[in-house]
Amino acid sequence: MKTIASAIHACALIVTLSGLGATSEVNYDESKVPGYVLPDPLLLPNGSRIENSRAWLKHGRPHTLDLFAEHVYGRSPGRPAGMRFKTLSEDKNALGGKAIRKQILIMFTGQEDGPSLELLVYIPKNAPRPVPVFLGLNFYGNQSVHTDPGIRITRSWMRDSNDGSVVNNRATEKSRGLQATRWAIDKALERGFAVATFYYGDIEPDHADGWKKGVRAALSKNGSATVFKPGDWGAIAAWAWGLSRAMDYIERDRALDAKRVVVFGHSRQGKAALWAGASDRRFAIVISNDSGCGGAALSRRRFGETVERINTSFPHWFCGNFKKYNGNEDALPVDQHQLIALIAPRPVYVASAQEDLWADPKGEFLAAKHAEPVYALFKLPGLGVTEMPPVNTPVGNCIAYHIRSGKHDITDYDWEQYFRFAEKHFGMTQRR
Ligand code: GTR
């Protein structure tokens, strides 16, 4: 079996990104990863060490969470007081009769014409109530996750696509099912999971000025004239905030088990899932699929996408303060292993793809590994290995990891591991 080390070796090269505005080079050579020292997750600013889980929850966790809010993702507001929910549709015989399909409008200011998200929920008809849930954002609208003709076409802004699936920044009928390979909805239902999703652009369109048409403006008293402070929320924090609002709905739907919600995401949405899981303890399990820089990968390795690169290409994703660390990763008061540690004692799964060197698979593995001391405070087993496993060989217990063969994507192989992981930790009968 080919290991990631050999894959990296085979691809060892330095690429200069030109025309993109960044001056730095992209490193894919393991031997050129600089030496670095990771912040110790158990060390408090006064020099004392956290020795047990109580001290972690009382001091370590709030302190670490605050550092991530201030320096990386930015501070988000809580649940808006006037928020309301409206059932837009409910079909008790969806997908050939095996599921209930609900479409829920979550109105952040209580008004239908105000900022909102549209949540699509499939609930398996014959699974014992309440049902555990997989919750995740989608990239191209709810109608893209399945060919089901009953899914309402997302109306929010979307980047145009030359295949006719998005025209004049609006999704068309042609986009139905376009991302279905990334969504194992039928399999989830068969295994007794509900699936809930919404379009991330409902919260904020994903471009530098997108915030003006998203919740970051709508919930601010100055609207699109808002001037953000350097520690205010960026787009990833806003998307994560949306996941928490979807959780608010799940808590009030009696068919769904709010105590068994898996928050998951791929790539930039994996970054959002990690931040949602780190900051909102209602999420029982967190899954990061190929989340890379600003997600599960250690920033200090500067392998593949770097802090400077991501802040240049996506200036809206993180808070203003994060830009201080462009080319200056060693000054970051945290690194991403501590983001994973914030999820403790809840189970977390980090996944990489062998050809996805941009996301730094080894950096994702090492972040998972270096979160272990916090899980150990809870006497919980982490990865159970010291070296990166071969491809397609999942490892771990409360912290799990795999590197799949293939590209940056979310595949049936990934889903199979996530279902098993959730079944194990939720004490569901394992069928395979
Ligand atoms: C890339 C970005 C990554 C990752 C990816 C994705 O362009 O550099 O950080 O988020 O997009 O979301 O697919």
Side-chain angles (χ1 to χ4, degrees):
M1 249 182 289
K2 213 173 165 192
T3 63
I4 182 62
S6 62
I8 289 170
H9 185 72
C11 302
L13 76 165
I14 303 254
V15 180
T16 307
L17 280 176
S18 55
L20 288 169
T23 50
S24 60
E25 293 172 327
V26 181
N27 179 37
Y28 289 124
D29 182 345
E30 195 57 38
S31 74
K32 295 204 166 67
V33 169
Y36 59 87
V37 179
L38 290 178
D40 182 341
L42 301 182
L43 204 60
L44 286 170
N46 65 8
S48 68
R49 273 188 83 72
I50 293 165
E51 306 279 1
N52 55 53
S53 58
R54 270 188 56 195
W56 167 257
L57 291 174
K58 190 149 188 252
H59 305 293
R61 188 179 188 286
H63 170 65
T64 309
L65 194 62
D66 197 57
L67 290 176
F68 274 103
E70 177 66 20
H71 296 274
V72 184
Y73 303 102
R75 282 176 221 290
S76 305
R79 174 187 169 145
M83 199 167 80
R84 286 197 304 129
F85 309 96
K86 179 180 173 183
T87 303
L88 298 171
S89 80
E90 176 162 359
D91 182 348
K92 295 200 159 58
N93 267 308
L95 304 181
K98 68 180 178 202
I100 298 168
R101 183 205 328 101
K102 296 186 189 180
Q103 297 179 88
I104 310 291
L105 186 67
I106 305 182
M107 298 165 280
F108 305 132
T109 56
Q111 279 140 9
E112 265 184 65
D113 57 357
S116 62
L117 72 80
E118 209 172 299
L119 188 69
L120 167 68
V121 189
Y122 284 108
I123 307 171
K125 253 175 46 189
N126 297 323
R129 277 11 184 192
V131 183
V133 187
F134 272 79
L135 168 67
L137 302 161
N138 65 66
F139 281 92
Y140 295 101
N142 292 348
Q143 78 290 341
S144 71
V145 305
H146 199 286
T147 50
D148 179 359
I151 305 176
R152 294 161 55 91
I153 294 194
T154 293
R155 298 304 306 148
S156 303
W157 181 94
M158 217 172 276
R159 197 173 305 286
D160 273 344
S161 147
N162 45 24
D163 64 0
S165 58
V166 187
V167 175
N168 294 331
N169 301 118
R170 294 288 175 263
T172 69
E173 197 49 53
K174 228 183 146 188
S175 62
R176 208 175 274 291
L178 215 61
Q179 291 262 299
T181 60
R182 284 187 170 178
W183 289 83
I185 291 175
D186 295 272
K187 289 205 186 79
L189 294 167
E190 274 165 37
R191 292 174 87 136
F193 294 102
V195 178
T197 182
F198 61 94
Y199 173 50
Y200 78 142
D202 282 1
I203 297 293
E204 174 166 329
D206 189 2
H207 60 85
D209 285 329
W211 65 272
K212 294 180 183 166
K213 297 258 188 293
V215 297
R216 287 196 286 151
L219 299 182
S220 153
K221 63 180 187 329
N222 293 321
S224 60
T226 303
V227 177
F228 293 109
K229 293 199 285 294
D232 283 346
W233 54 340
I236 290 173
W239 297 323
W241 177 92
L243 288 164
S244 288
R245 304 293 69 82
M247 181 56 147
D248 296 338
Y249 168 77
I250 291 169
E251 284 186 320
R252 64 190 290 285
D253 186 328
R254 280 197 276 164
L256 303 175
D257 189 350
K259 299 257 177 299
R260 291 187 298 164
V261 177
V262 181
V263 66
F264 73 96
H266 169 61
S267 206
R268 65 196 70 186
Q269 300 181 347
K271 308 181 210 291
L274 282 168
W275 182 232
S279 51
D280 188 339
R281 290 163 73 190
R282 292 175 298 171
F283 293 114
I285 291 181
V286 184
I287 295 175
S288 149
N289 192 86
D290 305 357
S291 63
C293 180
L298 292 175
S299 300
R300 279 170 173 73
R301 276 174 47 83
R302 289 154 266 203
F303 184 103
E305 188 171 34
T306 60
V307 171
E308 180 186 31
R309 181 71 263 155
I310 207 166
N311 278 329
T312 308
S313 309
F314 308 101
H316 54 298
W317 280 5
F318 298 89
C319 71
N321 280 332
F322 196 49
K323 298 189 173 60
K324 290 200 281 201
Y325 306 103
N326 288 352
N328 190 22
E329 289 84 350
D330 292 315
L332 264 166
V334 283
D335 211 322
Q336 300 304 105
H337 62 306
Q338 292 163 281
L339 180 67
I340 297 169
L342 283 171
I343 296 161
R346 295 162 294 149
V348 58
Y349 201 121
V350 174
S352 310
Q354 190 180 22
E355 292 169 34
D356 187 18
L357 297 181
W358 181 243
D360 187 11
K362 189 167 182 189
E364 297 185 313
F365 170 79
L366 289 173
K369 180 78 199 148
H370 290 292
E372 281 182 334
V374 175
Y375 280 77
L377 296 176
F378 294 90
K379 310 210 174 354
L380 291 171
L383 287 172
V385 295
T386 49
E387 296 298 322
M388 244 183 119
V391 289
N392 302 330
T393 311
V395 292
N397 197 312
C398 290
I399 307 174
Y401 177 83
H402 74 245
I403 175 161
R404 163 181 59 69
S405 50
K407 294 190 195 343
H408 184 70
D409 197 0
I410 175 163
T411 68
D412 282 349
Y413 177 87
D414 298 313
W415 277 104
E416 177 62 27
Q417 313 320 314
Y418 305 153
F419 291 143
R420 288 187 192 187
F421 188 66
E423 285 164 354
K424 180 170 97 183
H425 288 287
F426 289 159
M428 295 160 76
T429 318
Q430 293 212 38
R431 308 173 335 147
R432 287 166 184 79

